[in-house]
Amino acid sequence: MEKWRAADRLLKFSSRFASAVNWNNSCKSKQGKYFYSVATTVHRNPLFSIISPDDISYFKTLLGERGVVQDALALDAANTDWMGKYRGSSKLLLQPKNTEEVSQILKYCNSRCLAVVPQGGNTGLVGGSVPVFDEVIINVGLMRNILSFDKVIVSGVLVCEAGCILENLISFLDDEGFIMPLDLGAKGSCQIGGNVSTNAGGLRLLRYGSLHGSVLGLEAVLANGTVLDMLGTLRKDNTGYDLKHLFIGSEGSLGIVTKVSILTPPKLSSVNIAFLACEDYTSCQKLLLEAKKKLGGILSAFEFLDSDAMSLVSSTTFLGTENHGQEVIKDKHGQDFTSIDLRALPLEFWYSYASGSIFMENLEAFLLHSVESGLVANGVLAQDINQASSFWHIREGLPEALMKAGAVYKYDLSLPLEKMYDLVEEMRVQIGPAAKVVAYGHLGDGNLHLNISAPAYDDNILAKIEPFVYEWTSKNRGSISAEHGLGLMKAAKIHYSKSPETVRLMIDFDYCVFELLPDTSCLDDNHSIICLCLSA
């Protein structure tokens, strides 16, 4: 029970839930919301104020008419998450253009006890980027300037504002001869501030590591408007606590990230992709080990998708010429993957590599050995950039394909590599014929994206999934959130991955930060946070 009490305290304390709850007096409000996760009921706390005409007037004076959005259609989009599962009822969207405006907004909201939810590209999958109730939405999308890029003195240090879209940064760096260490399927919409705040992983983590290693510094605004300038560009700085790491992955619970400095490596001279098929998951594991041994530093990504995932993405026309003018993927015998008996190819995966002639020779030797030894049953090496793009489009198109198929329950898990697919097989037994279990993910870093696809959301299906999926993950010492964060969906489930002592320390740290606030007139005796989650 202590684990549940610790999680409940975190749930109450976290500003993500607009709940400045007095620990001695629980919320008396009967207003509540139930979301797509078992036993997650959240109540609006009456200590928070409701937006008034005077508040609107203040924000219009600060931001101008265009920075204060009350249009119903725009608010509907901002209130709803990408999957359409989480929906708030905010009546106000603010669009600051710089850090000072963010500071003034938060300072005012703190004085008025107005709950807020920071928002980036709103591509999150756990309900962390939209209001729960009527919080003021602070969207940083207009803060999209690249402030500097140093490719001479300090190789590849990029400094930019939080609203920069990831794909735009990737294109900018490509033109400069560098590469962004982060790449996501949602790169066309997600923003770097949200990426940092959620410690997004993505497709390049195997080679370049997490954002904890790439981010050199950041600027953030606390709930009372205080600006923390940690925007360093140094590789080494050992003067006290490295506080930026507390903001990376904190999901906005400590403040809003407004600027980022990030180390970007030089662009690879050449990149290629192999799309391969294995007979079983054990072969995939062995192939990954062999690739690490024989390809070493040239291995950039090692992804996988199972046969159900391949069938799904094929059936939704992500392959072929209909949408993209690209040839269907052919295997080594000229047969296209869409016509292969996928039951004999239960797992698909690929990796990319930097190549010169020596690297190409190593790769071809590795692939030949893998086929001769039986690790690879079939496969194809991209012949040009269009085919390489087609390969990646299959993997990146899976979330959209799942959305087109109907309702989907998504779980983002870290598991020991040898156990990862065991969960998929056990979940299929657990669910039975009521829904389809679709698995894909980042095999190179042990990150499984487990998806349960059904025609419609059904409480009976959900009851078979949860808490089974969390209990199984906890029993096998995994994490219930590999890269998507906790958000609203999993905040109350944190005890499955963290001990009561760890959760208590997180809460104590939050206390330490917010006891420093000079203006706590709208907070309870324990200075609960009013700043909410900033999601990608």
Side-chain angles (χ1 to χ4, degrees), residues 281-496:
Y281 180 69
T282 299
S283 297
C284 284
Q285 293 182 79
K286 292 179 179 178
L287 190 64
L288 173 60
L289 179 61
E290 287 298 304
K292 286 184 174 180
K293 286 181 178 178
K294 296 181 178 179
L295 299 179
I298 68 172
L299 189 65
S300 293
F302 199 107
E303 301 290 301
F304 91 98
L305 57 152
D306 68 8
S307 58
D308 284 323
M310 188 66 185
S311 296
L312 177 68
V313 80
S314 300
S315 66
T316 50
T317 68
F318 278 97
L319 296 180
T321 60
E322 180 177 342
N323 289 337
H324 303 283
Q326 298 167 351
E327 293 184 0
V328 295
I329 295 174
K330 306 285 186 179
D331 72 0
K332 63 184 179 181
H333 303 298
Q335 182 182 23
D336 70 75
F337 270 88
T338 59
S339 65
I340 293 174
D341 182 0
L342 291 170
R343 290 170 296 177
L345 306 172
L347 295 169
E348 315 272 351
F349 60 92
W350 61 92
Y351 54 89
S352 59
Y353 67 95
S355 67
S357 58
I358 181 105
F359 293 139
M360 178 62 78
E361 291 173 5
N362 289 344
L363 178 68
E364 290 176 347
F366 166 74
L367 293 176
L368 179 61
H369 172 75
S370 298
V371 171
E372 292 175 345
S373 64
L375 289 181
V376 171
N378 215 328
V380 59
L381 188 64
Q383 299 302 304
D384 54 44
I385 190 170
N386 288 332
Q387 196 171 55
S389 297
S390 296
F391 293 175
W392 279 117
H393 189 73
I394 296 172
R395 170 61 179 83
E396 294 176 340
L398 274 164
E400 186 177 346
L402 282 160
M403 290 286 289
K404 288 183 177 181
V408 57
Y409 300 90
K410 302 182 74 69
Y411 297 90
D412 161 52
L413 310 165
S414 274
L415 291 164
L417 199 61
E418 69 276 8
K419 296 281 188 178
M420 196 160 77
Y421 208 72
D422 291 347
L423 174 57
V424 179
E425 294 172 336
E426 291 191 33
M427 182 60 76
R428 285 179 175 143
V429 174
Q430 175 81 359
I431 292 291
K436 179 174 288 188
V437 179
V438 177
Y440 61 92
H442 315 296
L443 194 66
D445 50 60
N447 182 183
L448 171 67
H449 291 309
L450 180 69
N451 302 268
I452 293 83
S453 177
Y457 290 109
D458 186 323
D459 288 343
N460 293 324
I461 294 176
L462 182 59
K464 291 181 178 181
I465 302 171
E466 298 183 19
F468 172 79
V469 65
Y470 297 127
E471 291 173 346
W472 197 99
T473 300
S474 179
K475 181 177 67 176
N476 289 278
R477 298 190 65 80
S479 170
I480 64 169
S481 180
E483 60 182 4
H484 291 171
L486 293 171
L488 180 61
M489 176 183 174
K490 292 182 282 191
K493 312 295 191 300
I494 191 173
H495 65 277
Y496 287 109

